[in-house]
Amino acid sequence: MHRRHPEIDPQLLSETDEQRQLRIVLRDFHTEASGPEDVRKHLATPRGYDEVLWARLAGEIGVHGLAVPEEYGGSGFTFAELAVALEESGRALYCAPLLPTVALAAHALLYSGDRTACERYLPRIADGTLTATVAGFDAGESGVTAEQGASGWLLRGRADFVLDGAGADLILVRAQTPAGQRLFACEPTPDTCRRTPRRVLDETCRQALVEFRGAPATAVGTLEGSEDTVSATLDTGRAALAAEQVGGSGHALDATVEFVAQRHQFGRPIGSFQAVKHRLADVLVALEAARSASAYATACTAITSPQLPVAACAAAVVCSEAFRLATAEYVQLHGGIGFTWEHPAHLYVRRARSSEVLFGTTDEHRVRLAELIGLAARSAA
């Protein structure tokens, strides 16, 4: 059971000067190169994002290596700096596989403690030349099995709705072995791995069905530590997603406030009407709560706190609900134009609805949170 009252340095919840500067640089970068029209244009490409922009983000700003130790080619900062980048990418609705590559796969490698795997893959993740994702990390048994072949491990089975599953260069897979579940690294090839893009609500966050047909793989980490690695990776993913949701909520609120200040009805800005003010105030309150929850989850991830599972669940609930509310008002308060395909509001609505079930529903997170802090046991008693 986890403590109800978190023990964490309050200073970790505040933004440092370096993080503030990073935010400014990234916001300017995305404003210049990754607007809604750019997103729409690149959604029609095979990879679904601007690969030149991806390389610039890694090379010019070093986003991909922010949370990667220097010994593996990164900058040696923490997840706190990466969370700033994720928040700004969520604000801009950046459609490249930043979440699966740098938040999930990179941290899975780090949590595994496998130096050989880290030395092989992390430098290429940090410099932007390798995209990666995870598969089979869902609750319960994995749908993938691993067997020993003449030249090493072979993967068979399938994993569905894998983030960037159709395009990732590296897939970290949790597979069932005769001795138990274990983590494997697979660099998929067309002859041993069939990857079928899924039609999903949010096209800016692609997912795929991945079918392994005797795909060669390398074991990562130890058998005993695989479940801890998977659990920590998923909680890190929830913290990362919460940061993205805060960014998207911030954009929705700012864009709506700007619109209601300009749109006139009955000779006055519609933002001057009390009913509109109340609705925007509700969004602001929800957004501030989401920022607090995200900051706590970020801090717990950055210092590998034992409170991370609690913080990640809380952030998943609060930030999902804030994003849903902010995007709903984004559409409603823009009136007729907010319902059109030409307006960016619908892209944010799709991202909000998709992300709120990405690592489990809010109800599932509430149940897990109750179990972690001991409420479920007392209720049963």
Side-chain angles (χ1 to χ4, degrees):
M1 187 178 77
H2 291 254
R3 291 177 179 270
R4 282 197 184 184
H5 304 291
E7 296 177 356
I8 193 168
D9 185 351
Q11 289 186 344
L12 294 174
L13 304 177
S14 301
E15 196 169 71
T16 66
D17 289 337
E18 284 184 336
Q19 292 165 4
R20 194 172 298 111
Q21 288 299 318
L22 176 62
R23 183 182 302 281
I24 293 171
V25 169
L26 285 168
R27 187 163 301 185
D28 290 343
F29 180 87
H30 285 299
T31 300
E32 173 193 348
S34 186
E37 292 309 313
D38 297 296
V39 171
R40 284 195 179 93
K41 180 177 69 175
H42 292 294
L43 285 179
T45 64
R47 281 299 272 126
Y49 64 92
D50 187 346
E51 296 182 71
V52 173
L53 191 65
W54 173 265
R56 285 184 59 197
L57 200 62
E60 295 177 18
I61 306 178
V63 166
H64 303 63
L66 283 172
V68 175
E70 291 180 283
E71 62 181 309
Y72 299 129
S75 303
F77 289 103
T78 70
F79 183 83
E81 285 71 33
L82 179 59
V84 173
L86 290 164
E87 184 178 333
E88 290 305 312
S89 73
R91 185 182 182 89
L93 212 70
Y94 184 51
C95 52
L98 201 61
L99 177 67
T101 298
V102 303
L104 294 175
H107 280 84
L109 289 167
L110 290 170
Y111 290 139
S112 75
D114 190 323
R115 291 189 60 85
T116 301
C118 287
E119 289 171 353
R120 182 176 181 180
Y121 297 117
L122 286 178
R124 287 188 285 159
I125 288 178
D127 67 17
T129 57
L130 181 78
T131 57
T133 190
V134 300
F137 278 38
D138 318 78
E141 286 196 6
S142 171
V144 183
T145 60
E147 60 187 42
Q148 282 279 13
S151 57
W153 290 98
L154 300 176
L155 299 180
R156 301 187 187 279
R158 51 188 280 168
D160 209 350
F161 295 103
V162 177
L163 290 174
D164 195 38
D169 304 313
L170 169 70
I171 305 178
L172 295 176
V173 188
R174 184 180 69 161
Q176 184 70 37
T177 72
Q181 297 198 56
R182 190 167 185 181
L183 192 63
F184 293 88
C186 173
E187 297 181 57
T189 57
D191 56 330
T192 60
C193 188
R194 181 181 178 183
R195 302 192 278 179
T196 307
R198 288 299 199 189
R199 186 177 181 183
V200 291
L201 179 64
D202 178 20
E203 295 178 348
T204 68
C205 189
R206 294 189 174 187
Q207 301 178 47
L209 167 66
V210 181
E211 298 173 276
F212 300 96
R213 302 174 174 181
T218 305
V220 175
T222 64
L223 178 69
E224 296 76 16
S226 62
E227 287 307 301
D228 288 340
T229 297
V230 169
S231 180
T233 300
L234 287 176
D235 282 330
T236 298
R238 293 179 183 109
L241 183 62
E244 282 194 355
Q245 291 170 321
V246 167
S249 301
H251 164 83
L253 178 58
D254 290 347
T256 307
V257 168
E258 181 180 3
F259 177 79
V260 299
Q262 296 174 351
R263 178 76 167 89
H264 281 65
Q265 191 72 35
F266 304 111
R268 55 191 287 196
I270 63 173
S272 65
F273 295 116
Q274 196 76 1
V276 174
K277 290 180 180 179
H278 285 170
R279 291 170 69 169
L280 290 174
D282 288 341
V283 175
L284 178 60
V285 170
L287 176 56
E288 290 303 312
R291 282 181 174 142
S292 296
S294 176
Y296 178 47
T298 293
C300 288
T301 307
I303 64 172
T304 320
S305 168
Q307 288 289 327
L308 175 58
V310 171
C313 282
V317 173
V318 176
C319 296
S320 292
E321 293 183 344
F323 199 13
R324 173 190 272 263
L325 174 63
T327 52
E329 296 293 14
Y330 192 7
V331 171
Q332 292 288 334
L333 292 178
H334 271 76
I337 192 174
F339 286 86
T340 64
W341 290 112
E342 292 76 19
H343 199 275
H346 82 89
L347 293 174
Y348 284 86
V349 169
R350 287 167 175 250
R351 174 67 69 88
R353 295 299 178 89
S354 176
S355 64
E356 72 177 319
V357 296
L358 195 54
F359 298 121
T361 66
T362 53
D363 285 343
E364 290 170 340
H365 294 313
R366 286 189 174 96
V367 170
R368 184 183 179 218
L369 185 59
E371 292 172 349
L372 287 170
I373 63 176
L375 287 180
R378 279 194 291 273
S379 297

